[in-house]
Amino acid sequence: MPTHTTPKKKKCPQCGKISEFIQCSKCKAPQCYTCADVSVTEASALRKKNIKFECTTCCSNEGKKSKDTNDKTLIDVVTAIQQQVTALQATIEDMKNNSLVASTNLPSNSQSNDMDVVISEINERSKREKNVIIYDVKESESNEPDVRKSHDEKKVKELVTRLGLNPISIKSIIRLGKRENNSSGDRPMKLTLSNKGEAIAILKNSREKQIKSIKNDLTPLQRSKLKNLQSTLKDKQENGETGWSIKYLQGVPQLIKINAGTEKK
């Protein structure tokens, strides 16, 4: 005749009753089936399948700990977003104050939650800051890509030497636009340097040596701004106004009246 083992009994710390129990896998405290909210069958199944059981107290503490962790993580994320928004707003104001773009092209403070235009412009400028555009460099007439490449590399090397910047690290040289066999014009070259400092050095030395064929790699928005300045300058000159010129102040093109010091448009 089979022998039935009587389940062990312990005092439940929650209700104080001495009864059959299931042990918490975390705090190791016994809990009666009623307080644990499990049936005899469920308790037996948990033991047989070696499934861990956690008492209500441990579950509550774990939930609170998880909530505290999530709250802290959420606070960190919100703080980071606030810092990014503050930085972007500062960039917007800087762009407006320096006349980089017309204010109508930027979202107002009341629309600062929609930063797509500004972010796109910032990213585009960041991509171009290592580039310079070189105009009026004779293009090879060869149909062989390697020959044309060697020709352009030689021309750039000669120009860099003329600027007194040897050695300089060049990542790529690209002719802009589609190559036309019957075209009499030479396509501009986009020169990409290893870092922003080298691009600035080329632009600075070209201005000092009055080499006007080397320009910044401007974004469409910057080109539009420069075009507007050039149009305004032309109007002033046609109206007989003298002394006006487009000057770069901290890399920003502005219309300046030379004989009036810092007087601006």
Side-chain angles (χ1 to χ4, degrees):
M1 184 175 180
T3 303
H4 295 281
T5 303
T6 303
K8 293 181 180 180
K9 296 182 179 182
K10 283 189 178 182
K11 183 178 180 179
C12 175
Q14 191 165 337
C15 66
K17 293 180 181 179
I18 297 176
S19 63
E20 297 176 15
F21 69 93
I22 185 168
Q23 190 175 42
C24 176
S25 61
K26 282 204 167 185
C27 68
K28 307 302 180 184
Q31 196 168 34
C32 70
Y33 296 162
T34 301
C35 292
D37 194 24
V38 296
S39 66
V40 175
T41 303
E42 289 171 337
S44 177
L46 289 172
R47 291 192 189 95
K48 287 180 180 179
K49 295 182 180 180
N50 198 27
I51 298 174
K52 291 183 178 180
F53 165 79
E54 292 183 14
C55 66
T56 53
T57 302
C58 288
C59 287
S60 176
N61 291 339
E62 184 65 24
K64 184 178 183 302
K65 181 180 178 182
S66 177
K67 181 179 182 300
D68 291 342
T69 301
N70 290 338
D71 287 347
K72 184 179 184 303
T73 302
L74 182 60
I75 291 172
D76 291 342
V77 170
V78 171
T79 301
I81 292 174
Q82 288 174 336
Q83 291 173 345
Q84 291 175 0
V85 170
T86 300
L88 286 171
Q89 287 175 334
T91 301
I92 293 172
E93 291 305 315
D94 181 60
M95 292 166 73
K96 287 180 180 179
N97 293 337
N98 289 322
S99 301
L100 282 171
V101 292
S103 59
T104 54
N105 291 328
L106 290 171
S108 64
N109 289 337
S110 62
Q111 299 170 315
S112 59
N113 58 327
D114 183 7
M115 309 293 284
D116 290 348
V117 174
V118 177
I119 293 173
S120 176
E121 178 66 14
I122 291 172
N123 289 338
E124 190 62 28
R125 293 186 188 190
S126 178
K127 291 178 184 177
R128 295 168 183 254
E129 64 184 7
K130 298 178 184 179
N131 302 340
V132 295
I133 307 299
I134 306 175
Y135 297 88
D136 303 327
V137 177
K138 183 64 178 177
E139 191 167 359
S140 171
E141 297 179 358
S142 174
N143 291 323
E144 296 296 328
D146 289 341
V147 174
R148 296 199 304 270
K149 180 180 178 181
S150 297
H151 170 85
D152 287 345
E153 288 175 347
K154 180 181 178 182
K155 290 294 183 181
V156 169
K157 185 177 180 180
E158 290 173 355
L159 182 58
V160 170
T161 301
R162 183 181 170 191
L163 292 172
L165 292 173
N166 281 333
I168 197 167
S169 180
I170 299 171
K171 294 186 68 175
S172 67
I173 302 171
I174 300 174
R175 288 278 181 175
L176 301 177
K178 186 177 180 181
R179 183 170 179 263
E180 301 289 348
N181 292 330
N182 298 325
S183 176
S184 58
D186 296 309
R187 293 176 297 165
M189 290 193 299
K190 181 175 76 172
L191 187 64
T192 300
L193 291 308
S194 293
N195 57 69
K196 179 182 177 181
E198 290 181 332
I200 292 174
I202 287 178
L203 293 167
K204 179 182 177 182
N205 285 26
S206 65
R207 285 194 291 268
E208 290 176 352
K209 294 181 180 294
Q210 297 185 344
I211 300 175
K212 298 182 179 181
S213 59
I214 303 177
K215 306 291 183 183
N216 299 73
D217 185 11
L218 302 177
T219 67
L221 206 56
Q222 288 174 307
R223 289 198 298 270
S224 176
K225 175 63 180 179
L226 183 58
K227 185 177 180 180
N228 290 338
L229 288 177
Q230 291 169 339
S231 177
T232 303
L233 176 61
K234 183 179 179 181
D235 290 341
K236 287 182 177 295
Q237 291 172 338
E238 290 177 351
N239 290 332
E241 298 184 43
T242 60
W244 289 95
S245 178
I246 295 175
K247 297 291 183 181
Y248 282 80
L249 302 180
Q250 297 181 342
V252 181
Q254 296 191 39
L255 195 58
I256 302 293
K257 192 166 186 179
I258 300 174
N259 59 6
T262 58
E263 183 183 350
K264 299 179 184 178
K265 179 184 69 170

